[in-house]
Protein backbone atom coordinates (compact mmCIF):
# COMPACT_ATOMS: atom_id res chain seq x y z
CA UNK A 1 0.00 0.00 0.00
CA UNK A 2 1.42 3.41 -0.99
CA UNK A 3 1.14 5.74 2.00
CA UNK A 4 2.80 8.81 0.52
CA UNK A 5 4.40 9.89 -2.75
CA UNK A 6 7.25 12.42 -2.86
CA UNK A 7 7.88 13.75 -6.36
CA UNK A 8 10.94 15.80 -5.39
CA UNK A 9 12.92 12.55 -5.51
CA UNK A 10 15.21 13.68 -2.74
CA UNK A 11 16.40 16.65 -4.79
CA UNK A 12 15.49 19.00 -1.94
CA UNK A 13 17.91 16.99 0.22
CA UNK A 14 20.58 16.83 -2.45
CA UNK A 15 20.28 13.16 -3.27
CA UNK A 16 18.55 10.77 -5.62
CA UNK A 17 16.27 11.24 -8.57
CA UNK A 18 12.74 10.20 -9.41
CA UNK A 19 9.68 9.60 -7.31
CA UNK A 20 10.01 8.33 -3.72
CA UNK A 21 7.22 6.19 -2.26
CA UNK A 22 6.49 5.65 1.43
CA UNK A 23 4.96 2.18 1.54
CA UNK A 24 3.48 -0.36 3.92
CA UNK A 25 4.32 -3.94 2.99
CA UNK A 26 2.16 -6.80 4.25
CA UNK A 27 2.48 -10.50 3.48
CA UNK A 28 -0.97 -11.37 2.12
CA UNK A 29 -0.83 -14.99 3.30
CA UNK A 30 0.23 -14.41 6.89
CA UNK A 31 -0.93 -10.79 7.19
CA UNK A 32 2.37 -9.98 8.89
CA UNK A 33 4.16 -6.68 8.40
CA UNK A 34 7.21 -6.88 6.18
CA UNK A 35 8.10 -3.36 7.34
CA UNK A 36 8.34 -4.61 10.93
CA UNK A 37 10.42 -7.63 9.89
CA UNK A 38 12.88 -5.44 7.96
CA UNK A 39 13.21 -3.04 10.90
CA UNK A 40 13.74 -5.90 13.34
CA UNK A 41 16.54 -7.36 11.19
CA UNK A 42 18.27 -3.99 10.78
CA UNK A 43 17.59 -3.85 7.05
CA UNK A 44 15.63 -0.59 7.18
CA UNK A 45 15.14 2.42 9.41
CA UNK A 46 12.21 4.61 10.25
CA UNK A 47 11.80 8.10 8.94
CA UNK A 48 11.64 10.71 11.68
CA UNK A 49 8.15 11.85 12.58
CA UNK A 50 7.17 15.29 11.34
CA UNK A 51 5.01 17.82 13.15
CA UNK A 52 2.43 17.81 10.36
CA UNK A 53 2.06 14.01 10.26
CA UNK A 54 -1.44 12.75 10.93
CA UNK A 55 -2.14 11.11 14.29
CA UNK A 56 -2.65 7.80 12.46
CA UNK A 57 0.82 8.03 10.88
CA UNK A 58 2.44 9.02 14.20
CA UNK A 59 0.81 6.02 15.88
CA UNK A 60 1.98 3.69 13.11
CA UNK A 61 5.56 4.98 13.44
CA UNK A 62 5.46 4.54 17.22
CA UNK A 63 4.23 0.96 16.80
CA UNK A 64 7.10 0.16 14.41
CA UNK A 65 9.70 1.88 16.58
CA UNK A 66 9.93 -1.12 18.94
CA UNK A 67 11.23 -3.28 16.08
CA UNK A 68 13.88 -0.72 15.16
CA UNK A 69 14.96 -0.38 18.80
CA UNK A 70 15.50 -4.16 19.00
CA UNK A 71 17.84 -4.03 15.97
CA UNK A 72 19.70 -1.04 17.45
CA UNK A 73 20.26 -2.81 20.78
CA UNK A 74 21.53 -5.93 19.05
CA UNK A 75 23.60 -3.84 16.57
CA UNK A 76 22.19 -5.65 13.57
CA UNK A 77 23.20 -4.80 10.00
CA UNK A 78 22.99 -1.05 9.46
CA UNK A 79 23.22 -0.47 13.23
CA UNK A 80 26.41 -2.53 13.64
CA UNK A 81 28.58 0.58 14.11
CA UNK A 82 26.11 2.50 16.26
CA UNK A 83 23.29 4.92 15.64
CA UNK A 84 23.27 6.03 11.98
CA UNK A 85 20.85 8.80 12.89
CA UNK A 86 23.18 10.39 15.43
CA UNK A 87 24.55 13.84 14.68
CA UNK A 88 27.53 13.16 16.92
CA UNK A 89 30.64 12.33 14.98
CA UNK A 90 34.20 11.88 16.05
CA UNK A 91 36.35 14.85 15.10
CA UNK A 92 38.58 14.36 12.08
CA UNK A 93 42.29 14.03 12.83
CA UNK A 94 44.22 17.28 12.54
CA UNK A 95 46.28 18.05 9.47
CA UNK A 96 49.97 17.16 9.75
CA UNK A 97 52.48 19.91 9.39
CA UNK A 98 55.17 19.27 6.85
CA UNK A 99 58.76 19.45 7.98
CA UNK A 100 60.11 21.30 4.92
CA UNK A 101 62.44 24.32 5.00
CA UNK A 102 61.30 27.85 4.42
Amino acid sequence: MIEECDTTGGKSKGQGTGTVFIVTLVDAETESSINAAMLEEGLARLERSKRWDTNERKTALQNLEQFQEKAKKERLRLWQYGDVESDEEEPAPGARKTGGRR
Side-chain angles (χ1 to χ4, degrees):
M1 178 178 1
I2 298 173
E3 302 287 344
E4 188 177 330
C5 179
D6 178 5
T7 57
T8 63
K11 292 177 186 170
S12 62
K13 298 177 185 171
Q15 59 185 337
T17 58
T19 304
V20 175
F21 294 101
I22 308 296
V23 297
T24 299
L25 304 171
V26 178
D27 183 345
E29 291 178 15
T30 62
E31 294 185 17
S32 60
S33 169
I34 297 170
N35 297 55
M38 290 178 68
L39 288 167
E40 190 171 35
E41 292 296 320
L43 297 171
R45 67 183 174 101
L46 286 174
E47 185 177 68
R48 289 187 178 163
S49 180
K50 299 175 185 92
R51 282 188 294 177
W52 57 84
D53 280 344
T54 63
N55 286 336
E56 183 179 271
R57 180 167 163 79
K58 287 179 184 178
T59 302
L61 288 174
Q62 288 172 351
N63 291 338
L64 288 171
E65 197 168 332
Q66 64 184 330
F67 298 103
Q68 179 172 279
E69 289 303 314
K70 181 179 184 283
K72 279 184 185 182
K73 286 179 185 172
E74 295 178 13
R75 292 187 173 255
L76 298 176
R77 310 230 178 12
L78 66 90
W79 305 107
Q80 71 184 20
Y81 299 113
D83 192 346
V84 294
E85 296 173 338
S86 174
D87 290 337
E88 297 177 20
E89 291 187 22
E90 292 183 20
R96 295 182 94 179
K97 294 184 180 182
T98 58
R101 294 184 184 184
R102 290 190 176 200

